[in-house]
Coordinates of all heavy atoms in Angstrom, one line a residue:
W20 N -2.1 42.2 11.3 CA -2.3 41.3 10.3 C -3.8 41.4 9.8 O -4.7 41.0 10.5 CB -2.1 39.8 10.8 CG -2.0 38.8 9.8 CD1 -2.9 37.9 9.5 CD2 -0.9 38.5 8.9 NE1 -2.5 37.1 8.6 CE2 -1.3 37.4 8.2 CE3 0.4 39.1 8.7 CZ2 -0.4 36.9 7.2 CZ3 1.2 38.5 7.8 CH2 0.8 37.4 7.1
G21 N -4.0 42.2 8.8 CA -5.4 42.5 8.2 C -6.3 43.0 9.3 O -7.4 42.6 9.5
G22 N -5.8 44.0 10.2 CA -6.6 44.6 11.2 C -6.6 43.9 12.5 O -7.0 44.3 13.5
E23 N -5.9 42.6 12.4 CA -5.9 41.9 13.8 C -4.4 42.0 14.2 O -3.4 41.8 13.5 CB -6.3 40.4 13.5 CG -7.6 40.3 13.0 CD -8.4 39.1 13.7 OE1 -7.7 38.3 14.3 OE2 -9.7 39.0 13.6
F24 N -4.3 42.1 15.6 CA -2.9 42.2 16.1 C -2.4 40.8 16.6 O -3.3 40.1 17.3 CB -2.8 43.2 17.3 CG -2.9 44.7 16.8 CD1 -4.1 45.2 16.9 CD2 -1.9 45.2 16.2 CE1 -4.3 46.6 16.5 CE2 -1.9 46.5 15.8 CZ -3.2 47.3 15.9
E25 N -1.3 40.5 16.3 CA -0.7 39.2 16.8 C 0.7 39.5 17.2 O 1.4 40.3 16.6 CB -1.0 38.1 15.9 CG -0.3 38.1 14.6 CD -0.4 36.9 13.8 OE1 -1.2 36.0 14.1 OE2 0.4 36.8 12.7
N26 N 1.3 38.7 18.0 CA 2.7 38.8 18.3 C 3.6 38.0 17.4 O 3.2 37.0 16.9 CB 2.9 38.3 19.8 CG 2.5 39.3 20.9 OD1 2.4 40.5 20.5 ND2 2.2 38.9 22.0
V27 N 4.7 38.6 17.1 CA 5.7 37.8 16.2 C 6.9 37.8 17.0 O 7.4 38.7 17.8 CB 5.9 38.6 14.9 CG1 6.2 40.1 15.0 CG2 7.0 37.9 14.1
A28 N 7.5 36.6 17.1 CA 8.7 36.4 17.9 C 10.0 36.5 17.0 O 10.0 36.0 15.9 CB 8.8 35.0 18.5
I29 N 10.9 37.4 17.4 CA 12.2 37.6 16.7 C 13.2 36.9 17.6 O 13.4 37.3 18.8 CB 12.5 39.1 16.5 CG1 11.4 39.8 15.7 CG2 13.9 39.2 15.8 CD1 11.2 39.4 14.3
L30 N 13.8 35.8 17.1 CA 14.9 35.1 17.8 C 16.2 35.9 17.6 O 16.6 36.2 16.5 CB 15.0 33.7 17.4 CG 13.6 32.9 17.3 CD1 13.9 31.5 16.8 CD2 13.0 32.9 18.6
V31 N 16.9 36.1 18.7 CA 18.2 36.9 18.6 C 19.3 36.1 19.3 O 19.0 35.5 20.4 CB 18.0 38.2 19.4 CG1 19.3 39.0 19.4 CG2 16.9 39.1 18.7
A32 N 20.5 36.1 18.6 CA 21.6 35.5 19.4 C 22.8 36.4 19.4 O 23.0 37.1 18.3 CB 22.0 34.3 18.6
I33 N 23.4 36.5 20.5 CA 24.6 37.4 20.7 C 25.7 36.4 21.3 O 25.3 35.5 22.0 CB 24.3 38.4 21.7 CG1 23.4 39.5 21.0 CG2 25.5 39.1 22.3 CD1 22.8 40.5 22.0
A34 N 26.9 36.6 21.0 CA 28.0 35.8 21.5 C 29.2 36.6 22.0 O 29.4 37.7 21.6 CB 28.4 34.8 20.5
V35 N 30.0 36.0 22.8 CA 31.3 36.5 23.1 C 32.3 35.6 22.4 O 32.3 34.4 22.5 CB 31.6 36.4 24.7 CG1 33.0 36.8 24.9 CG2 30.6 37.2 25.5
N36 N 33.1 36.3 21.5 CA 34.0 35.5 20.6 C 35.2 35.1 21.5 O 35.4 35.5 22.6 CB 34.4 36.2 19.3 CG 35.0 37.6 19.7 OD1 35.8 37.7 20.7 ND2 35.0 38.5 18.7
E37 N 36.1 34.4 20.8 CA 37.3 33.9 21.6 C 38.3 35.0 22.0 O 39.1 34.7 22.8 CB 38.0 32.7 20.8 CG 38.5 33.1 19.4 CD 38.9 31.8 18.6 OE1 39.1 30.8 19.3 OE2 39.0 31.9 17.4
D38 N 38.2 36.1 21.4 CA 39.0 37.3 21.9 C 38.3 38.0 23.0 O 38.9 39.0 23.5 CB 39.2 38.2 20.8 CG 40.1 37.5 19.6 OD1 40.9 36.7 20.0 OD2 39.7 37.6 18.4
G39 N 37.1 37.7 23.4 CA 36.4 38.4 24.5 C 35.6 39.5 24.1 O 35.1 40.2 25.0
Y40 N 35.3 39.7 22.8 CA 34.4 40.8 22.4 C 33.0 40.3 22.1 O 32.8 39.1 21.7 CB 34.9 41.4 21.1 CG 36.2 42.2 21.4 CD1 37.4 41.6 21.2 CD2 36.2 43.5 21.8 CE1 38.5 42.3 21.4 CE2 37.3 44.3 22.0 CZ 38.6 43.7 21.8 OH 39.7 44.3 22.2

Side-chain angles (χ1 to χ4, degrees):
W20 192 256
E23 300 222 342
F24 288 100
E25 62 175 11
N26 281 339
V27 53
I29 304 291
L30 308 181
V31 177
I33 284 168
V35 175
N36 63 27
E37 54 191 345
D38 297 321
Y40 290 92

